[in-house]
Amino acid sequence: MIMTHPGLPLYWAYAIGIMMLLLGLLTMAIKAPTTSASRSISLAKLPLIGDLFRFLAKYTWPLLLLKIIFAALFITVITAGLWGTPIVERNLATTLTWNLWWTGIIIAIVFSGSAWCALCPWDNIASWLVNHSIWRRSSSQSRLQLKVPNMLRSVWPASLLFIGFTWLELGIGIVASPYATAMLALLMLILATTTLALFEGKAFCRYMCPVGRTVGAYSQLAPIALRPIDSEICRNCKTLECFHGSDKIAPCPTKIVMGRLQENTYCTSCGNCTQSCPSSNVSWQLRSPSSEAIKEAKPHMDEAFFLLILLSLTLFHGLTMLDYWEGYLSEMAQLINDSGQLIISFSIGLGVTLILPIFIYCLCIGLTQGLLKKRLGAMVTKLSFNKLFSGFAFISLPLAFSYHIAHNLTHFVRESSDWLSLVTNPLGTGAEPLSMMEKHTRHMEMMVSENTLFIMQGIIIAIGFVIATQVIRHRGHRLFAAQGITLLPMILFAALVTGFNLWMLVQPMTMRM
């Protein structure tokens, strides 16, 4: 028997729909300011908590301790997956990975930016294995330090792996298999270790890791980031320890110069720059939320496509949790004579969901270009399509992030696990499957009340649309002095995606496990 969660009440959809209409009109009516500086505050300078952030920036051992804890958890997950019970809800590998970790790191981005990457066990265990050093700069000659081939120097590898993992997760169903979950985790560790042994820097983190690129993209919306405390000190720095490292501290793994850093995309929050800076001039900063997405970030085409693929896959995850999904798959299977596991039907569904939002986005970019040509004439050339495509791609970021959080909140709040039993018996030795009574009890024992959950989901979706309109307003004005009716196609795109997200949230959603 498949259990479902009730959807968002319809009145939330109506209220957000009215808000979108009014905000869309305001976005066209009010011109974006020509200049507006982003504000930020160094957390190291704040009273009370400033001492804590200075302590974390100065000493290595707190971060090292956290790395060891997460590495130990990772090894426990592998052990439980390979040798534990196949009962999904009784095995730590599946419950920790899919119910807590994947939901938790997305929500954590709101509070800690890209901090997860600093704790990532894939990268940390790979570094310990290859560099033969726990935290100091390695003198090992075990790495080949090859240049990363040009064909890999983009985020297309991460995009393709993300699509592949979605296919494995939802099509093959590794969510429901502790053994497959452990094998996937091992595969990622092998990939991280191999690329670290072969190439210079951390090619896996920068170009291949779908989780890291997702965290990097979403952290551009985060209100917290590692940045210089005093920009003037960085401007006058000639030695660039943040980039080159020091005698004891390794260089930046993704080759970032802190004084020039404007985007969180590739910052892994590893803390090397905070340790190596001779002026102790790097710390966590509190900044205007979403300022990078709205104004500062300048994506390349591969990064723009990643943002749109992220949006498409987020929508696809939502679709597969709807009550209707199995019916759609069965109808598709009958139509194309697909039998067995319905993998072909599933793959077609994934392909269509992947392509359709990008096609609609391209259509809206084309309409925007046409409206701008009428207004600006010869100033809008064929090359303008690429510039508009990459510049406006940030619209998809708040829309994907808001639905990602709103959707996963349902799993997080409604699908509590018996963590005490899982921690004391991670392999689920001798455990029995959940009875219907236990499933029903889990379903009813929510972490917060149902109304509180609905309020949080409604507000998060509304905030996503508000940020998207800010992206349209500011980027449209900065790229092509676009305003008024020329912004309409992109506003319609944001409204269409938000409307679809709301429709999915209103539907009953199947329980993950």
Side-chain angles (χ1 to χ4, degrees), residues 26 190 488:
L26 277 175
I190 291 169
L488 183 61

Side-chain angles (χ1 to χ4, degrees), residues 351-384:
V352 170
T353 314
L354 195 61
I355 292 170
L356 192 58
I358 299 175
F359 173 76
I360 296 172
Y361 176 77
C362 288
L363 195 62
C364 292
I365 290 293
L367 289 171
T368 304
Q369 188 183 28
L371 290 170
L372 284 169
K373 271 184 179 175
K374 284 186 180 178
R375 183 163 172 258
L376 302 175
M379 287 179 65
V380 181
T381 65
K382 286 184 179 178
L383 291 176
S384 302

Side-chain angles (χ1 to χ4, degrees), residues 76-93:
T76 307
V77 164
I78 299 288
T79 307
L82 294 181
W83 291 286
T85 175
I87 303 169
V88 181
E89 63 274 14
R90 299 296 194 192
N91 192 305
L92 189 69

Side-chain angles (χ1 to χ4, degrees), residues 247-268:
D247 291 341
K248 292 182 178 178
I249 306 299
C252 174
T254 51
K255 299 186 174 181
I256 291 172
V257 177
M258 183 50 71
R260 301 171 200 159
L261 179 60
Q262 290 188 319
E263 301 176 26
N264 248 14
T265 314
Y266 298 109
C267 175
T268 60

Side-chain angles (χ1 to χ4, degrees), residues 294-364:
I294 292 172
K295 289 178 288 187
E296 295 157 6
K298 299 171 184 173
H300 297 106
M301 283 298 278
D302 59 317
E303 295 164 340
F305 267 107
F306 183 83
L307 299 180
L308 289 162
I309 289 170
L310 182 58
L311 174 66
S312 296
L313 293 180
T314 304
L315 299 179
F316 184 69
H317 267 81
L319 274 175
T320 60
M321 297 279 176
L322 298 184
D323 242 0
Y324 309 115
W325 177 249
E326 293 296 330
Y328 291 149
L329 269 190
S330 298
E331 288 179 15
M332 172 71 75
Q334 288 177 6
L335 197 65
I336 62 172
N337 200 23
D338 181 19
S339 59
Q341 298 298 314
L342 308 184
I343 292 299
I344 298 174
S345 305
F346 175 85
S347 303
I348 292 172
L350 173 60
V352 170
T353 314
L354 195 61
I355 292 170
L356 192 58
I358 299 175
F359 173 76
I360 296 172
Y361 176 77
C362 288
L363 195 62
C364 292

